[in-house]
Amino acid sequence: MNLEDIARRAGVSRSTVSRVVNGDARVSDEVRRRVQAVIREHGYHPNAAARSLASRRTRIFGLLIPRAVGSVFSDPFFPRLIEGAVGACNEADHNLMLLMDTTEDQRNIERLYQRVIRGRHLDGIVIASSVVDDPVVARLCEDDFPFVLVGRHPHHPEISFVDVNNREAARQAVAHLLQHGRRRIATICGPANVIPAIDRYGGYVSALLDAGLMPDQNLVRHSDFTSSGGYRAMRSLLPHHPDAVFCANDPMAFGALRALHETGLRTPEDVAVIGFDGLEEGESTTPPLSTVFQDTRALGREAVRALLDITQRSRKGGGVRRLLTARLLLRRSCGCAQQPQKSPGGTSSRDSP
């Protein structure tokens, strides 16, 4: 079956069928439903190459994770992000190309550009875990190539992004520890050049200053978002006698809990702990981990939807700035006595002003 056959059965022109197949908005809802019913009835699948030539679109999005391949699948954040992005692509009849490469090496960037982006093998790209002054972002802006960041850009607010309010969520987490009477609150941050880590550290500092406490650099450690990194950071903090620790992600908090347990310190009696992510694994730690819940799958979904908004409506250079909700998920590790809360199943989002 071809477009002419579908057009004849639906009682429309071939060009109308082509518009429906390519997602063109210049078709009435009634005609679109009629054409789609014929397509479903006869199991028609358009030729991908011909479709791309006609529409000048590949219907392929890229998801760039600027990390080494091994670290991507050992970090629970990225599989969940990928799952959400794939789901949104499937809903939109797009494919997702997964790109994993470190962007610190200029040769890697050049290979990526020549192989994929300059060749226009993609309609757009989502960048996860962006760092300050990421050279890939600069190149994409120069080439006017559609892209969306997972995480805001600190220097260019016009760049499209999907994020949670990391600073405010971290401030609330540390303020909660202060409400428990903790005063020597440490933090285990992520890498110093990663934007969410910077924002979460900013929220930590804001909460202390609001309480009239000066941040103590002896209580600050940077780590690599891994459980082993959190473990090492917690061990190095212990000589400074913290009574609580806010970790910038859940895997580092898991490592911190392990370090406290091995040294005979009780959580939360001796050292309270709060993480950030809301990973399901936190429900089964000892004690269950209090954390800031962010729906990582929703971040992936909303990033793809924002990219669709840009590519389909020709909104280039910005204008899509979407914030998802984040909230405290209080369990035993912070000192709360209520029953452990289950991780929420979803989250809402809004376009930021």
Side-chain angles (χ1 to χ4, degrees), residues 102-116:
T102 57
T103 57
E104 296 175 358
D105 188 331
Q106 187 65 36
R107 291 171 299 179
N108 291 341
I109 299 169
E110 196 58 38
R111 276 200 307 271
L112 175 69
Y113 255 78
Q114 297 302 328
R115 187 177 69 241
V116 178

Side-chain angles (χ1 to χ4, degrees), residues 48-212:
R51 190 177 183 183
S52 296
L53 286 172
S55 65
R56 296 186 180 179
R57 291 182 179 174
T58 65
R59 303 183 78 84
I60 301 172
F61 285 159
L63 175 60
L64 173 61
I65 302 177
R67 300 273 292 272
V69 174
S71 65
V72 169
F73 294 102
S74 63
D75 185 338
F77 176 88
F78 291 112
R80 289 165 170 83
L81 185 79
I82 293 168
E83 182 182 342
V86 169
C89 281
N90 288 341
E91 290 172 5
D93 193 23
H94 279 55
N95 292 312
L96 186 72
M97 179 184 293
L98 189 58
L99 305 168
M100 291 177 287
D101 211 343
T102 57
T103 57
E104 296 175 358
D105 188 331
Q106 187 65 36
R107 291 171 299 179
N108 291 341
I109 299 169
E110 196 58 38
R111 276 200 307 271
L112 175 69
Y113 255 78
Q114 297 302 328
R115 187 177 69 241
V116 178
I117 296 175
R118 281 272 170 82
R120 294 284 167 169
H121 294 296
L122 305 173
D123 291 338
I125 190 165
V126 173
I127 301 179
S129 188
S130 184
V131 299
V132 176
D133 296 325
D134 187 337
V136 169
V137 171
R139 293 287 295 274
L140 291 169
C141 289
E142 289 173 5
D143 284 355
D144 196 25
F145 191 84
F147 72 98
V148 172
L149 298 180
V150 177
R152 68 176 189 91
H153 197 288
H155 305 315
H156 299 285
E158 74 281 2
I159 288 177
S160 296
F161 70 84
V162 173
D163 203 359
V164 298
N165 191 333
N166 286 288
R167 187 183 183 103
E168 175 58 19
R171 187 199 66 77
Q172 291 179 14
V174 177
H176 182 77
L177 293 171
L178 289 162
Q179 290 169 8
H180 277 288
R182 310 293 171 152
R183 288 298 179 268
R184 289 192 58 77
I185 302 174
T187 185
I188 301 176
C189 309
N193 66 336
V194 174
I195 296 165
I198 295 169
D199 286 346
R200 293 170 196 177
Y201 175 70
Y204 162 82
V205 171
S206 293
L208 295 181
L209 294 177
D210 289 346

Side-chain angles (χ1 to χ4, degrees), residues 204-221:
Y204 162 82
V205 171
S206 293
L208 295 181
L209 294 177
D210 289 346
L213 299 174
M214 290 299 296
D216 181 351
Q217 289 304 305
N218 289 322
L219 297 177
V220 176
R221 294 292 184 276

Side-chain angles (χ1 to χ4, degrees), residues 148 160-163 302-303 305-307 309-310 313 315 318-325 348-353:
V148 172
S160 296
F161 70 84
V162 173
D163 203 359
E302 291 300 324
R305 289 170 182 170
L307 192 55
D309 198 18
I310 293 169
R313 294 177 175 82
R315 292 174 62 177
V320 181
R321 296 180 293 278
R322 202 158 292 169
L323 288 175
L324 278 62
T325 56
S348 62
S349 69
R350 62 181 176 86
D351 283 338
S352 67

